[in-house]
Amino acid sequence: QSTPQLFSKSALESDGARLFTHAVFEEFQEEYKCSTNTLTSKGFSESNNMELNTVKDALRNRNFIVQYNPGTLESSCTCKLFERRGVPCRHILWIYLGNGLEKIPESSFAKKWTKDVVRDIKSNHKGCVGMGDVDIIDKKQIEMMKLWSEVHETMGVLIGREKEHVEDLCKLIKEFREKLLPSVPPMTKHQELEELLGCATNNEITILPPKISKNKGSGKRMLSNKAKVVACASKPKRMCNNCKQMAHHDKRNCPNPFVERPPQNVDDEEEEEEEEEEEEEEEEENEEDELED
């Protein structure tokens, strides 16, 4: 990779350009610019071979505490940028510049962001993988990548060969898979659930049913139409003011339509009154005759 453009002639920035990839160096360079322009010291103390520096960040208007060990060159900051991103923050770089460091300590950057990882983890034209740094890539992962390379080379050799060779290879792979996976009877649903949960289920149930709570209206059963008729028939009958009948209803829920009595004429009323008077006179005469006898 080409060397990126530098902001200054500082050896610390040059080491970052040599160390980091282009994408990560842009973030590192931004932190380096801020370390030279926006930070001031607000306090210094020593404790157990550790230097405690209080640094004020003008952009954030906050104070950050940087712990620095001059012997091991280990450092940490309360902004926690290194823990989140794997890149030294501006506050740590400010301490490095103050102590005259020309190289970034290995404890202040993550190896996954360096150019060496890109060089170590690559395949050649045959598909082989470079061993590189064993701490960065797991040995098993390297062996798996080698296996894939062998599989691809074998498939390339089989192109144009006879069908029997392909069948032999399939047979060998199948036998090897059966050797790795011994015959195991299929698991039941209960066993699959136990394996998924990672614990055995208990067949003894110790959970009791909850207590039944009686709220307002609970415990009442809806009556059927037949039961409603029987309950209504047991009630005493009463006079309905609408239909003038003894029944189990009243004027509000009377099944008959509203009955209006026809208005009576004045002549009819007079005739009725005369008839009533005649009947009363006859009754009085009968009573007098009975008394005389």
Side-chain angles (χ1 to χ4, degrees), residues 94-238:
W94 187 77
I95 298 298
Y96 289 166
L97 290 173
N99 286 272
L101 295 184
E102 296 182 354
K103 290 187 177 181
I104 304 172
E106 293 185 359
S107 59
S108 297
F109 62 86
K111 293 182 179 180
K112 60 182 178 180
W113 301 136
T114 60
K115 296 177 182 178
D116 294 337
V117 176
V118 180
R119 296 191 187 100
D120 291 340
I121 309 172
K122 62 181 181 179
S123 302
N124 57 17
H125 65 282
K126 293 183 179 181
C128 298
V129 180
M131 296 300 292
D133 193 351
V134 179
D135 294 334
I136 300 175
I137 299 181
D138 188 71
K139 291 182 179 180
K140 183 178 179 181
Q141 185 179 0
I142 295 174
E143 296 299 327
M144 292 296 293
M145 295 174 71
K146 286 183 178 181
L147 176 61
W148 276 114
S149 177
E150 293 294 335
V151 171
H152 283 293
E153 288 184 0
T154 306
M155 295 301 295
V157 173
L158 287 176
I159 296 175
R161 297 299 179 93
E162 296 181 359
K163 181 181 178 182
E164 288 77 11
H165 295 90
V166 180
E167 291 178 351
D168 292 340
L169 179 61
C170 292
K171 185 178 180 181
L172 289 174
I173 294 174
K174 186 176 180 180
E175 290 177 355
F176 183 74
R177 184 175 69 247
E178 291 177 352
K179 182 180 178 181
L180 293 177
L181 302 174
S183 58
V184 179
M187 293 189 298
T188 61
K189 269 192 171 182
H190 191 73
Q191 293 173 344
E192 291 178 357
L193 183 61
E194 288 182 348
E195 185 178 0
L196 178 63
L197 297 176
C199 61
T201 57
N202 190 4
N203 295 326
E204 183 180 356
I205 300 175
T206 58
I207 301 175
L208 300 177
K211 295 181 180 180
I212 300 175
S213 60
K214 292 185 178 181
N215 299 325
K216 184 178 179 181
S218 64
K220 293 184 179 179
R221 182 176 58 88
M222 294 184 66
L223 299 177
S224 62
N225 293 332
K226 183 178 179 181
K228 290 179 180 179
V229 172
V230 173
C232 184
S234 61
K235 294 180 180 180
K237 294 182 179 182
R238 56 184 177 180

Side-chain angles (χ1 to χ4, degrees), residues 2-145:
S2 60
T3 304
Q5 185 176 1
L6 300 179
F7 168 72
S8 65
K9 296 182 180 180
S10 172
L12 198 65
E13 185 184 8
S14 300
D15 188 60
R18 177 193 60 81
L19 193 64
F20 297 116
T21 60
H22 283 345
V24 180
F25 176 72
E26 290 180 0
E27 184 176 355
F28 169 80
Q29 192 176 43
E30 185 65 27
E31 294 295 321
Y32 179 80
K33 290 179 182 179
C34 294
S35 69
T36 58
N37 298 325
T38 62
L39 304 180
T40 55
S41 177
K42 287 296 180 181
F44 175 80
S45 62
E46 291 185 8
S47 176
N48 297 328
N49 297 327
M50 294 289 293
E51 295 181 357
L52 301 178
N53 297 271
T54 304
V55 182
K56 183 178 180 181
D57 193 332
L59 293 178
R60 303 180 186 178
N61 196 19
R62 286 183 57 189
N63 294 336
F64 296 94
I65 298 176
V66 180
Q67 294 183 358
Y68 175 65
N69 190 333
T72 60
L73 302 181
E74 293 181 353
S75 57
S76 63
C77 181
T78 54
C79 71
K80 302 297 182 181
L81 178 67
F82 173 72
E83 286 78 3
R84 296 195 310 270
R85 300 287 299 163
V87 178
C89 64
R90 63 192 68 176
H91 316 107
I92 293 177
L93 292 176
W94 187 77
I95 298 298
Y96 289 166
L97 290 173
N99 286 272
L101 295 184
E102 296 182 354
K103 290 187 177 181
I104 304 172
E106 293 185 359
S107 59
S108 297
F109 62 86
K111 293 182 179 180
K112 60 182 178 180
W113 301 136
T114 60
K115 296 177 182 178
D116 294 337
V117 176
V118 180
R119 296 191 187 100
D120 291 340
I121 309 172
K122 62 181 181 179
S123 302
N124 57 17
H125 65 282
K126 293 183 179 181
C128 298
V129 180
M131 296 300 292
D133 193 351
V134 179
D135 294 334
I136 300 175
I137 299 181
D138 188 71
K139 291 182 179 180
K140 183 178 179 181
Q141 185 179 0
I142 295 174
E143 296 299 327
M144 292 296 293
M145 295 174 71

